[in-house]
Amino acid sequence: MATVQVSEAEKVYILHGIRDDLRVDGRGCEDYRHMEVETDVVSNTDGSAKVTLGHTAVLVGIKAEIGKPRPMIANQGYLEFFVDCSANATPEFEGRGGEELGTELSNTLYKVFNNQHSLDLKSLCISPGEHCWVLYVDVLLLQCDGNLYDAISVAIKAALFNTKIPKVHISSDEEGGKEIELSDDPYDCMRLDVENVPCIVTLCKIGHRHVVDATLQEKACSVASLIISVTHKGIITCSRKVGRGSLDPESICEMIEAGKRVGKALHPPLMKLLQQEESLGNKRQKVGFLG
Amino acid sequence: MPTDTKRVRGPETSQSPLLFWSRPAKVLPSHGPRADGRQRDQVDVRPVFVRCGLVSQAKGSAYIEAGSTKVLCCVYGPRETERKDETDMKSGRLTTDMRFAPFSCPERGSWIQGSQDKDFSLMLQESLQPAVCLHKYPRSQIEVNVMVLENSGSVLAHAVTCASMALADAGIEMYDLVLGCSLRQDGGSYVVDPMYPEENSWRSGSGEKQGGLTVAFLPSLNQVSGLQSDGEMAEETLTAGIRTCIEGCYKLYPVIQQALIKAVRRAALPPAES
C-alpha cells in the first residue's frame, strides 16, 4: 500500500486535532472529502464509473459475458471481482508489488456481495443450469490517497447502476435444442436494481476516536481500522478489522454504530446523483479523466 | 453396429455425484437441538483437544481438534529476514501461511494456494500480529504455518487459537494469547462454533438474515485483534454476536492455559525421569 512518512511531531499534531474533532484539512470526524462520480466513461464496457475522493481515483469497468452457472446455484448468475493496482498509483505496485493488496481488496468485495439481497442474481440467469450472465467487475486504481475501500465500493455501485445488459431471448427449435437470440435493438437492454448494493465505510481508529475517510497521513497515525459495508437500510453485509493493531470491544460497537450511520447517509445522495446524471442522457457534459 | 471402444461414452462434462447426493441434507432445521446435540442460542463450543510440541523440527508447534476440525500449526524462527527491502527494520516481521490439505473438505482441493487460502492467511496474520512483541525481534522474521487437516467448520477461529499456542510454545514473546471463536447467525437464532454443514447450509437457503462472524480475542487484555463477518446482519445482531464470540473465547481460555502449562512441565522435566 502506498505509504507516506509522517514524523512524530506531525503525528502528535494530527492526534491532538482529532481529539478536538478537527482534522488537518478542516473536516469533522465523520465527514468525507469532496467526492466526484462520473458514469459511462469507457465506451467498451457494459457499465463503467470513475470516482475521485480527494486525490484517490478509482475506475471501475463492468463487462457482461455469457457463462455457465455455478453447479450449486443453477438459477443465478454471478459476479467476478478483480482489482488491479496500477503502477501509476505508486511505484510500489510495479511488477507483482500490487498483487497482495489486489487480492485483499477483491476478497473483501466477494464477501461484501456474499448475500442474497445485494444484487438480484436471479435476474442474471438466462436458462437455469445452462447459461447465465457473468459480470466481470474490474477495478483499476489510478491514484491512491487513502480510503480505497470506500471509493471502490461507491464506484462499483455507480458502475452497476450504469450497466446495460443486452436482452436475450431463448428460442427452442423442433428438436428441443435451445438457441440464444440477441435483440436487434441496441437500446433494448436490462438494467440492474442497485438499491440494495452496499457501500463500504472505513473507520480509522486514531487515538481514542475514529475518523471516516482517512487520508494517508491520518492512516499512518492509526494502528487499526474497521471496514463495514452498509446497505441503504442499514444492514451490515461485511465487516472486517484491518491493520496491525487491536481494538477494544466497546470501541468496535461505537465504530459499527458510527459506520452504519455514515453508510446509510451515503446512499440517498449517491442514488440521486446517479439518477440525475442518467436523466440528462446525451446532453450531459462529459468530464472524463482530466476534469 | 460398430462402436468406438476407446471412447468414453459419457457426457462431455460431469459433476461430482456428491453435489447432488448431499442436497437434501443441506436444509437443516432452524430450531431445536443441533446435529451434534449442542444447543442453539447458547455459547456452546465444541470440546477441544489441544497439544503442544508435536513437530520436533519446528521451534514451536501445536495441534487442535474440535469435533472433527483438525488443525496443525508450526512456528519457525525468529530468523534473519529474507526481504531486505523492508523499510521498517526496527521491528520483526510475522509471516503466515494457511493451507488446506486437498482432502480436508468434502470436495477435493488443490495444493496450490487459492485466493481463499490467501485471505485466510491474511486474516490470521492480522489477528496474531497485535499479540506478538515484534519490536523485540528486530531484523528478523517469524514464520507461522498452518495446515488444516480436516475442515469441519470454524476453521479460521481454531487456526488462530492453534497458531497462538504454537507461538507460545516456540517461546516467542507475546502480550497475550489469541483465541478465536466463530458464530453463524440464522434468522433469529445463532449457533456458536458452527460445523461444516451449518456453515454452508445458507447458500441454498431462503433469503432470511443469515451471516457468519469470526472473532479473534486477546482475553487478558480485553482486545479484539481480528474481526470478520459476511452475510446480512443488523447492527444489533452484529454487536451481540461479537459479545457472544468473546464469551466463547473465554470458555476456551482455561483449556489452552492448561495445555501450555503441561507442555512447559514436560519440557522442564529431565528426560531420564520419564
Side-chain angles (χ1 to χ4, degrees):
Chain A
M1 170 87 73
T3 44
V4 284
Q5 296 283 337
V6 180
S7 71
E8 279 305 313
E10 278 177 294
K11 273 188 188 171
V12 171
Y13 181 70
I14 292 172
L15 228 84
H16 285 186
I18 285 166
R19 198 182 56 195
D20 302 333
D21 197 12
L22 192 67
R23 291 161 75 176
V24 177
D25 43 11
R27 286 180 289 158
C29 280
E30 288 182 10
D31 295 340
Y32 271 94
R33 284 171 285 180
H34 180 68
M35 194 189 291
E36 275 174 31
V37 182
E38 194 185 0
T39 55
D40 205 10
V41 280
V42 187
S43 59
N44 277 335
T45 58
D46 293 295
S48 62
K50 186 191 163 236
V51 167
T52 51
L53 179 64
H55 288 292
T56 300
V58 176
L59 177 66
V60 171
I62 295 178
K63 282 270 204 187
E65 274 177 29
I66 291 180
K68 213 171 145 47
R70 300 241 159 93
M72 295 298 282
I73 19 177
N75 60 347
Q76 290 182 4
Y78 57 95
L79 291 148
E80 288 281 4
F81 294 98
F82 187 77
V83 182
D84 182 43
C85 304
S86 150
N88 288 324
T90 154
E92 285 166 48
F93 291 158
E94 211 228 306
R96 306 189 72 177
E99 209 169 272
E100 218 168 281
L101 179 68
T103 359
E104 184 190 333
L105 287 164
S106 58
N107 277 328
T108 308
L109 289 173
Y110 278 113
K111 285 213 185 78
V112 167
F113 284 87
N114 186 13
N115 60 68
Q116 308 270 341
H117 301 288
S118 279
L119 205 62
D120 183 22
L121 295 172
K122 288 199 177 89
S123 68
L124 295 175
C125 180
I126 299 167
S127 70
E130 284 167 354
H131 302 287
C132 71
W133 286 108
V134 185
L135 296 183
Y136 291 93
V137 180
D138 292 301
V139 180
L140 192 62
L141 305 180
L142 299 172
Q143 266 190 81
C144 288
D145 186 26
N147 210 10
L148 290 174
Y149 281 102
D150 300 24
I152 289 174
S153 74
V154 170
I156 288 178
K157 182 157 178 157
L160 284 171
F161 176 85
N162 181 240
T163 301
K164 299 176 186 77
I165 302 170
K167 275 207 179 119
V168 287
H169 307 281
I170 299 215
S171 56
S172 46
D173 53 20
E174 307 87 70
E175 283 139 40
K178 281 179 185 167
E179 222 167 66
I180 297 179
E181 259 175 55
L182 193 67
S183 172
D184 292 330
D185 181 9
Y187 293 99
D188 183 20
C189 47
M190 181 176 86
R191 303 296 291 263
L192 293 162
D193 179 22
V194 295
E195 186 147 46
N196 271 321
V197 174
C199 279
I200 301 176
V201 179
T202 311
L203 295 130
C204 250
K205 180 93 180 165
I206 299 175
H208 292 286
R209 296 189 70 145
H210 43 257
V211 296
V212 165
D213 189 22
T215 58
L216 281 180
Q217 281 82 1
E218 285 169 330
K219 209 183 159 209
C221 301
S222 103
V223 285
S225 36
L226 190 75
I227 61 168
I228 61 173
S229 67
V230 189
T231 65
H232 73 118
K233 285 186 195 138
I235 301 287
I236 294 159
T237 65
C238 171
S239 68
R240 178 170 189 167
K241 184 226 100 182
V242 288
R244 60 201 155 80
S246 59
L247 295 164
D248 196 55
E250 283 310 308
S251 70
I252 286 187
C253 296
E254 278 169 35
M255 283 159 99
I256 290 174
E257 200 219 317
K260 183 188 157 189
R261 194 171 55 235
V262 172
K264 247 176 119 172
L266 199 61
H267 286 277
L270 178 64
M271 286 307 284
K272 205 179 138 199
L273 190 89
L274 291 172
Q275 267 146 12
Q276 210 175 358
E277 198 179 44
E278 173 81 12
S279 64
L280 284 174
N282 289 332
K283 282 176 283 176
R284 177 166 68 99
Q285 200 187 355
K286 294 214 172 180
V287 181
F289 293 94
L290 295 168
Chain B
M1 198 174 100
T3 48
D4 188 355
T5 49
K6 290 206 176 84
R7 210 178 64 190
V8 181
R9 294 168 70 200
E12 273 171 34
T13 54
S14 59
Q15 302 289 343
S16 161
L18 274 175
L19 202 71
F20 304 98
W21 169 72
S22 59
R23 196 162 276 177
K26 283 257 142 64
V27 187
L28 292 171
S30 57
H31 48 81
R34 294 158 67 179
D36 58 352
R38 283 184 290 157
Q39 294 297 314
R40 278 169 186 280
D41 299 322
Q42 274 178 30
V43 192
D44 208 351
V45 292
R46 284 178 283 192
V48 290
F49 171 80
V50 279
R51 210 178 144 178
C52 290
L54 323 95
V55 181
S56 56
Q57 300 283 315
K59 188 85 187 296
S61 60
Y63 171 78
I64 190 165
E65 200 176 305
S68 23
T69 296
K70 299 181 182 75
V71 179
L72 177 70
C73 177
C74 291
V75 171
Y76 293 91
R79 58 165 162 238
E80 199 182 345
T81 180
E82 281 165 19
R83 269 161 69 171
K84 293 268 159 55
D85 58 326
E86 288 284 306
T87 45
D88 193 15
M89 294 294 264
K90 278 183 211 136
S91 73
R93 256 163 51 87
L94 184 76
T95 60
T96 51
D97 184 55
M98 184 163 165
R99 275 168 204 270
F100 285 79
F103 42 79
S104 62
C105 300
E107 289 113 49
R108 186 182 178 269
S110 74
W111 279 110
I112 304 159
Q113 200 176 30
S115 74
Q116 203 206 355
D117 299 13
K118 276 187 193 152
D119 195 39
F120 274 125
S121 302
L122 183 73
M123 285 299 304
L124 188 65
Q125 202 240 6
E126 283 180 344
S127 307
L128 292 174
Q129 203 168 7
V132 182
C133 306
L134 282 172
H135 60 277
K136 301 246 180 171
Y137 302 95
R139 311 180 75 87
S140 49
Q141 69 172 7
I142 299 160
E143 282 165 37
V144 177
N145 297 306
V146 174
M147 176 59 89
V148 179
L149 301 176
E150 199 173 328
N151 177 2
S152 174
S154 316
V155 173
L156 182 61
H158 292 299
V160 167
T161 313
C162 188
S164 83
M165 276 182 75
L167 280 167
D169 186 49
I172 307 285
E173 285 189 57
M174 283 157 82
Y175 295 109
D176 200 353
L177 277 172
V178 195
L179 304 173
C181 186
S182 58
L183 173 146
R184 175 140 286 280
Q185 188 75 34
D186 182 9
S189 70
Y190 63 82
V191 289
V192 176
D193 195 7
M195 293 184 299
Y196 190 81
E198 287 172 329
E199 260 182 351
N200 294 288
S201 65
W202 64 293
R203 278 167 212 287
S204 50
S206 58
E208 273 180 274
K209 279 186 187 131
Q210 289 169 319
L213 170 70
T214 303
V215 172
F217 185 65
L218 313 179
S220 59
L221 294 176
N222 189 35
Q223 289 272 311
V224 174
S225 66
L227 170 75
Q228 85 151 7
S229 80
D230 62 350
E232 284 177 295
M233 278 192 262
E235 183 206 337
E236 301 78 43
T237 328
L238 184 60
T239 46
I242 294 170
R243 282 180 222 285
T244 313
C245 280
I246 290 173
E247 223 176 295
C249 291
Y250 275 122
K251 285 207 166 179
L252 218 58
Y253 195 30
V255 184
I256 308 298
Q257 277 177 320
Q258 282 295 319
L260 281 171
I261 291 168
K262 222 166 115 187
V264 171
R265 284 228 176 93
R266 207 169 40 231
L269 273 181
E273 253 181 67
S274 54

